[in-house]
Amino acid sequence: MEIPKRYDPKISEAKWQKFWSDNKTYQFDADNKDNKKIYSIDTPPPTVSGKMHMGHAFGNSQQDFIARYKRMKGFNVLQPFGTDDNGLPTQMLVQKLKKVRAKDMPRKDFVKLCLDTLKNELRPKYVQDWKNLGISCDFNVNYTTINKHCTKLSQQSFIELYEMGRAHRKEAPAIWCPKCQTAIAQVELEDKDIPSKFNDITFKIKDETSNTEKDLIIATTRPELLPACVAIFFHPDDKRYQKLEGKMAKVPLFNFEVPILPDPKADPEKGTGIVMCCTFGDKADMEWQKEHQLPIKSAIGRDGKITSLAGEKYQGLKIKEAREKIIEDLKEANLLTNQKEITHAVNVHERCGTEIEFVHSKQWFIRYLDLKEDMLKWGNELDWHPHHMKNRFDNWVKGLSWDWCISRQIYFGIPFPVWYCKDCDEVIMEKIENLPVDPLSDKAPVDNCPNCKSKNLVGESDIINTWATSSLTPTIVKELFKGKPVYDYLIKNPMDLRPQGHDIISFWLFNTVVKSNLHFQMKPWNVCFINGWMLDPKGKKMSKSKGNIIEPQGMIQKYSSDALRYMASGCKLGEDLSFPEKDLLTGQKFINKIWNASKFSFMHLEDFKPNRTKSEESNFACNCDFKQLEMFDQWLLTKLNDVIKLATENFDEFEYSKSKFVAENFFWQTFCDQYLEIVKDRLYNPDKRGENKRASAQKALYKTVLTVNKLMAPFTPHITEEIYQLFFKSNEKNESIHLTKWPEYSPKLVNEKAELIGDIGVDIINAVRKFKSEQNLSLKSEIEEIIFIKDESDGRLVNFKEKINHISEDLKAVLNAEKISFEGNTTLETEIFKVKIGIKLKEQENN
């Protein structure tokens, strides 16, 4: 057998990715011909943003560890691949790539441009990025959140929620992004600290007795909202302002009057303790407007510019321009008494970082604030890993203060299946059997308005928020199998696993839980598997705008896919990790080491043929009497059996990093550093040591190399496949190492005596090596005699001589010693021993 001298990941990784694709290695069996238990994963559909980022590589590698483990455990694994490519992110990307503006094109043409760009340019390369990472999805089970399948299900979900009374359209204040020019939901907000100024502005109050005006100083950061001022509030207990209750104040520059009213939400400690209410400056303004039935005035339009309400002087200015101009005019009129520099937290749109506004408009909402107690209960039904991530879900639910706004005023996405009567505003909903539809191009389901009989019907131009579609991913996947044998099982049961990042618990996870319970009255999955973030080397979140992005494809080219996955496997689930390039170097070292150790083993296994057995001992991949193996071979396999137990237990608890650690630690320390050195003499010199002793080593060697590769296969799938195909496939018969059986722990394959004797032997080897090193001697230096001497200060030995005799030949070989002898009592029965070692070198003696 010709074994390549070096392993080249640049050649091999592409080779095995093609092999897996051609052989459908990861295909989900929709017919379930082998009647395997199904393990279904609600795979995150990544946003098609042009390139895979390091967060994708980090989180989805961790997800893939579980998928590969479950497949080797005998499950029929459903790990689909979807892409989230509808809505604002795609619209923004296509506009940037094609240097167009959606609003300057006929909508039909822009939608076609988006779909063509996705199909021909973005999606193919993006999918290939995932394959390059070695993700074991069944890429034939796929969807895109803009295709007909997903459009139909999203529209159907909306209609069902409408029929439940949950989806409703209302004219109300909505959170608005002036840059994206669309309504957004509470979940799409981020807090951002920005510098600003408290402006002390002079309002005027008329003194009826003296017929003069008195000054009332109000501090605000938003003077541009003065034209939308509808009231002034003070705290009822604030004695400074109690006498002003019921009076009218004149708004500076705009010279109209508003009432001064008490309200407990006014903060006496903030600013001057009295606050102006403008519709709509913030959430408090909206609450005041509704509670006190105040007028509605809109100073800011949907385009983020000042409206005609402010008069010709300010109309059409951008918000910051208007703020500066009004401050200048206030100063000139001696109505600005003071300015104070501050930094305060404002809400921004997480997509673009723009400060949000509130506008009065008609939007579609999902009513769910009445379900908070149910939501908390639904969260408790899930098995969270790590468990503390559930706190984020609970805190989000408790902090909800808005119904979910799902309408977006953009051009690309899934349309609402709705028409309106232009004469009476009656809502006309499409029938589910006619979905999917586009109301801007398709005919309404009725000719006349059901309410007023008008023929003047118009289609909805808004589109459904992308998260309202992504929150249906379990249903999207299950419905792909309608008519297949597995469909009934899938539709009646929650999926097994939801892997995702902690940053979208309030987006994707929360909304999926809500929709699953509203539509199907069941949890969407059993387990939430929450990964952390990949940060930049300084511990900061990676961002294109910051220029601190590290692209995974570049790291794959520099090192390898397996090295990148190795790095991801070293981080505990849920923990953020500052990008450690040194861990990729460590990964490469591991890959080289497992290649060299396997290659060395194969040199000594060319004439070895494992015999099959159906007994439990088949876990050793050979038909042998375990107790007849040499003691160091039993020691190795007992240690290996313990590793199998620990690795399996950790994987079952989603502690993949611990599984990897115990397997790798065994490989480096027990197998490579100790066993391979111990066993070399038996492998190289069967004429001197005996063929049976070489055969014993071969059995242990075969089992250990195969098992270590299996244990590491979920983490480093390419190198382990290469090793399996190179040697083991001819004996193991499975087409891929990833279709072999996960190693099983067996109590029958444990020998505590062998483990103790082997541990004693390793301690002796380490002690002698240390001695040689301290004496500046080569580890190959010959030793005439090793003498084990009873330690008088302890005096306790454990049948020590008998134990050493089991391994004396291996000890002499690895330590290059001619003789082993004993002095003192060697028969005391205790589990603790202390012994001195005398070492006689050639021509000198040292103790």
Side-chain angles (χ1 to χ4, degrees):
M1 177 180 59
E2 184 177 348
I3 304 173
K5 185 176 181 180
R6 291 185 179 87
Y7 170 75
D8 187 347
K10 287 182 172 56
I11 295 174
S12 291
E13 291 191 343
K15 174 180 67 177
W16 296 122
Q17 288 158 15
K18 184 177 185 303
F19 171 86
W20 297 328
S21 178
D22 292 345
N23 288 274
K24 300 179 180 179
T25 303
Y26 307 127
Q27 183 178 44
F28 173 66
D29 181 7
D31 297 323
N32 209 17
K33 297 183 291 292
D34 297 327
N35 200 30
K36 292 181 177 180
K37 189 174 180 180
I38 292 171
Y39 192 84
S40 53
I41 302 174
D42 187 18
T43 318
T47 303
V48 179
S49 56
K51 294 180 180 179
M52 174 195 284
H53 59 69
M54 191 59 78
H56 287 139
F58 183 61
N60 284 71
S61 291
Q62 293 174 354
Q63 161 202 316
D64 195 53
F65 303 153
I66 305 300
R68 289 182 178 277
Y69 168 70
K70 292 294 183 180
R71 196 175 288 111
M72 294 177 74
K73 286 286 284 184
F75 287 89
N76 184 12
V77 173
L78 170 57
Q79 187 180 203
F81 186 80
T83 54
D84 192 5
D85 38 19
N86 90 72
L88 186 59
T90 301
Q91 177 173 309
M92 294 172 67
L93 179 60
V94 171
Q95 287 182 130
K96 180 180 178 181
L97 291 175
K98 300 301 179 181
K99 296 179 172 55
V100 299
R101 293 195 303 179
K103 66 181 182 179
D104 296 338
M105 299 175 65
R107 180 164 174 168
K108 184 177 179 181
D109 293 345
F110 181 73
V111 169
K112 184 177 185 304
L113 177 63
C114 289
L115 292 173
D116 289 345
T117 304
L118 284 166
K119 179 181 178 181
N120 301 321
E121 299 177 35
L122 297 175
R123 201 179 291 129
K125 182 182 182 305
Y126 199 61
V127 172
Q128 187 59 48
D129 284 347
W130 293 86
K131 292 181 178 180
N132 291 344
L133 189 59
I135 299 296
S136 65
C137 290
D138 183 345
F139 287 92
N140 292 315
V141 180
N142 62 77
Y143 62 88
T144 78
T145 55
I146 196 64
N147 67 12
K148 287 185 177 180
H149 174 74
C150 292
T151 299
K152 177 181 178 181
L153 290 173
S154 184
Q155 291 181 339
Q156 179 178 334
S157 167
F158 170 75
I159 293 171
E160 290 175 355
L161 291 170
Y162 179 79
E163 291 173 348
M164 292 178 203
R166 290 283 170 193
H168 62 107
R169 182 174 178 247
K170 65 179 179 180
E171 187 169 329
I175 306 172
W176 187 266
C177 175
K179 180 176 181 179
C180 300
Q181 294 193 22
T182 181
I184 58 176
Q186 182 181 353
V187 73
E188 296 170 89
L189 300 179
E190 285 184 350
D191 287 335
K192 182 180 180 181
D193 290 330
I194 64 167
S196 186
K197 293 176 182 177
F198 253 139
N199 303 280
D200 288 349
I201 298 174
T202 303
F203 285 64
K204 298 292 184 178
I205 303 174
K206 188 174 182 179
D207 188 336
E208 299 292 344
T209 58
S210 63
N211 201 29
T212 60
E213 291 184 329
K214 292 186 176 181
D215 292 347
L216 178 65
I217 308 302
I218 297 177
T220 180
T221 59
R222 302 289 309 269
E224 71 275 12
L225 293 178
L226 281 171
C229 184
V230 290
I232 292 171
F233 288 102
F234 65 91
H235 194 280
D237 298 333
D238 193 336
K239 294 180 180 180
R240 293 174 295 173
Y241 302 114
Q242 287 174 344
K243 62 185 178 182
L244 299 180
E245 182 177 350
K247 292 184 179 294
M248 302 295 287
K250 185 186 292 185
V251 178
L253 297 185
F254 299 95
N255 298 320
F256 59 87
E257 293 185 327
V258 295
I260 303 173
L261 305 171
D263 192 283
K265 289 190 287 297
D267 184 357
E269 303 298 324
K270 186 175 181 180
T272 58
I274 194 164
V275 60
M276 68 177 188
C277 171
C278 304
T279 52
F280 298 99
D282 58 19
K283 181 184 171 187
D285 289 338
M286 286 180 284
E287 292 174 353
W288 277 327
Q289 184 275 325
K290 186 175 182 181
E291 183 177 342
H292 295 273
Q293 296 184 330
L294 298 169
I296 293 176
K297 295 182 176 182
S298 297
I300 299 173
R302 293 187 178 194
D303 57 0
K305 295 180 180 180
I306 301 300
T307 67
S308 60
L309 184 71
E312 292 183 5
K313 187 173 186 180
Y314 306 110
Q315 183 180 357
L317 294 178
K318 294 180 180 179
I319 294 171
K320 290 184 178 179
E321 292 173 345
R323 184 181 304 165
E324 293 172 0
K325 179 62 177 170
I326 288 174
I327 287 175
E328 286 178 11
D329 291 346
L330 287 168
K331 286 179 180 178
E332 188 175 333
N334 293 319
L335 295 171
L336 183 69
T337 62
N338 188 39
Q339 283 187 311
K340 180 183 178 182
E341 300 282 347
I342 64 167
T343 298
H344 65 152
V346 298
N347 289 137
V348 300
H349 186 194
E350 55 89 23
R351 291 286 185 194
C352 63
T354 303
E355 293 177 48
I356 59 95
E357 299 293 342
F358 295 90
V359 300
H360 200 68
S361 62
K362 279 191 174 181
Q363 303 288 345
W364 280 100
F365 294 86
I366 303 298
R367 180 175 57 83
Y368 61 16
L369 292 181
D370 60 312
L371 297 173
K372 283 191 175 185
E373 291 301 318
D374 291 315
M375 293 170 180
L376 293 172
K377 182 188 72 175
W378 297 338
N380 287 331
E381 293 173 352
L382 305 172
D383 184 12
W384 294 80
H385 292 269
H387 183 73
H388 68 82
M389 289 295 177
K390 179 179 172 293
N391 295 333
R392 300 196 182 196
F393 179 92
D394 292 345
N395 291 337
W396 171 253
V397 171
K398 293 172 184 176
L400 277 174
S401 54
W402 291 73
D403 282 330
W404 183 12
C405 179
I406 62 166
S407 51
R408 297 293 181 268
Q409 290 68 48
I410 61 175
Y411 297 85
F412 182 69
I414 293 176
F416 283 90
V418 174
W419 290 257
Y420 306 106
C421 174
K422 291 189 73 174
D423 294 329
C424 70
D425 206 33
E426 177 77 4
V427 173
I428 301 162
M429 200 70 60
E430 181 59 275
K431 296 177 182 178
I432 288 177
E433 57 266 27
N434 294 334
L435 302 177
V437 293
D438 183 352
L440 294 186
S441 58
D442 295 328
K443 187 175 179 294
V446 295
D447 294 327
N448 304 90
C449 170
N451 182 49
C452 72
K453 308 306 178 186
S454 169
K455 293 181 178 294
N456 198 7
L457 308 181
V458 61
E460 171 67 89
S461 60
D462 288 356
I463 65 103
I464 301 173
N465 171 232
T466 184
W467 290 107
T469 302
S470 298
S471 58
L472 294 168
T473 48
T475 306
I476 288 169
V477 172
K478 292 176 182 182
E479 289 297 325
L480 291 171
F481 297 96
K482 197 163 188 175
K484 295 288 186 178
V486 297
Y487 179 74
D488 285 345
Y489 171 83
L490 292 174
I491 209 69
K492 291 176 182 177
N493 292 279
M495 296 186 81
D496 291 286
L497 185 70
R498 156 60 73 86
Q500 66 162 70
H502 59 61
D503 53 319
I504 53 173
I505 288 174
S506 54
F507 285 80
W508 190 34
L509 188 149
F510 167 74
N511 289 321
T512 309
V513 169
V514 170
K515 277 206 169 183
S516 181
N517 280 279
L518 289 178
H519 287 300
F520 307 108
Q521 295 77 53
M522 73 176 184
K523 58 186 177 182
W525 354 262
N526 295 315
V527 175
C528 303
F529 176 93
I530 311 296
N531 64 266
W533 274 351
M534 173 59 70
L535 307 174
D536 74 6
K538 295 181 180 179
K540 303 294 184 182
K541 182 180 177 181
M542 292 189 191
S543 167
K544 290 180 182 177
S545 62
K546 294 178 183 176
N548 63 344
I549 290 289
I550 298 172
E551 294 186 3
Q553 296 302 326
M555 292 296 103
I556 289 174
Q557 285 297 313
K558 185 176 181 180
Y559 298 99
S560 66
S561 171
D562 280 348
L564 193 63
R565 293 170 61 100
Y566 175 97
M567 177 265 295
S569 69
C571 183
K572 289 174 61 176
L573 180 63
E575 288 189 351
D576 296 340
L577 180 67
S578 297
F579 178 70
E581 189 163 350
K582 61 180 178 58
D583 285 1
L584 277 84
L585 284 167
T586 305
Q588 283 299 96
K589 289 178 182 177
F590 167 78
I591 291 165
N592 291 334
K593 188 69 173 180
I594 199 171
W595 172 256
N596 290 330
S598 299
K599 186 173 67 171
F600 168 82
S601 301
F602 298 158
M603 290 168 51
H604 298 282
L605 292 172
E606 288 184 354
D607 60 341
F608 176 73
K609 293 294 179 185
N611 297 317
R612 292 288 167 190
T613 175
K614 293 183 179 180
S615 69
E616 197 166 4
E617 280 75 7
S618 64
N619 289 309
F620 281 102
C622 57
N623 186 6
C624 66
D625 186 343
F626 173 56
K627 295 297 177 68
Q628 295 304 311
L629 297 177
E630 291 294 298
M631 195 61 70
F632 264 123
D633 301 333
Q634 292 185 50
W635 166 78
L636 176 72
L637 296 177
T638 297
K639 294 282 191 187
L640 179 61
N641 204 32
D642 289 339
V643 168
I644 292 169
K645 184 174 185 290
L646 285 172
T648 305
E649 289 173 349
N650 284 316
F651 249 129
D652 286 339
E653 290 299 316
F654 305 97
E655 296 282 359
Y656 56 81
S657 62
K658 293 182 180 178
S659 296
K660 177 240 188 184
F661 175 79
V662 296
E664 190 184 14
N665 192 56
F666 168 86
F667 168 72
W668 281 99
Q669 297 184 12
T670 304
F671 183 64
C672 293
D673 291 351
Q674 300 295 347
Y675 181 76
L676 288 183
E677 295 302 315
I678 291 168
V679 82
K680 278 180 180 178
D681 189 59
R682 280 194 276 137
L683 293 170
Y684 279 114
N685 301 301
D687 52 337
K688 181 179 74 173
R689 300 293 302 277
E691 286 290 348
N692 61 327
K693 296 184 185 299
R694 177 173 183 265
S696 175
Q698 285 179 310
K699 292 169 184 176
L701 203 59
Y702 184 97
K703 170 58 183 177
T704 302
V705 175
L706 176 58
T707 300
V708 167
N709 274 277
K710 284 186 178 186
L711 294 175
M712 293 299 296
F715 310 113
T716 53
H718 303 88
I719 180 65
T720 51
E721 186 73 272
E722 179 95 8
I723 290 168
Y724 178 83
Q725 297 287 339
L726 184 63
F727 183 81
F728 291 109
K729 182 179 177 180
S730 60
N731 292 317
E732 298 301 314
K733 307 303 179 184
N734 295 97
E735 285 299 312
S736 166
I737 191 172
H738 304 294
L739 298 179
T740 60
K741 189 176 181 180
W742 181 260
E744 291 184 8
Y745 171 82
S746 172
K748 294 183 179 179
L749 301 173
V750 173
N751 186 335
E752 293 180 357
K753 178 182 177 182
E755 187 170 14
L756 175 62
I757 293 173
D759 287 345
I760 292 170
V762 168
D763 286 343
I764 292 167
I765 293 168
N766 290 338
V768 174
R769 285 175 172 172
K770 181 181 178 183
F771 167 79
K772 287 184 176 181
S773 177
E774 289 172 346
Q775 300 300 315
N776 293 319
L777 297 173
S778 166
L779 293 181
K780 295 181 179 180
S781 296
E782 294 183 22
I783 296 175
E784 182 177 322
E785 185 177 10
I786 297 176
I787 308 165
F788 296 102
I789 308 164
K790 171 186 172 183
D791 186 344
E792 298 294 344
S793 65
D794 187 282
R796 293 172 292 178
L797 297 170
V798 189
N799 288 333
F800 186 71
K801 182 176 181 180
E802 181 263 334
K803 286 178 169 54
I804 295 300
N805 284 338
H806 282 292
I807 56 175
S808 60
E809 293 303 310
D810 281 335
L811 285 177
K812 287 191 289 185
V814 72
L815 295 174
N816 204 10
E818 293 182 1
K819 181 181 178 183
I820 289 178
S821 60
F822 302 85
E823 293 183 6
N825 188 346
T826 61
T827 59
L828 295 178
E829 296 291 338
T830 176
E831 287 302 310
I832 302 173
F833 76 91
K834 187 180 289 185
V835 65
K836 291 181 179 178
I837 303 176
I839 300 174
K840 185 182 292 184
L841 300 173
K842 293 289 185 179
E843 300 179 356
Q844 61 178 321
E845 182 175 315
N846 295 278
N847 288 324

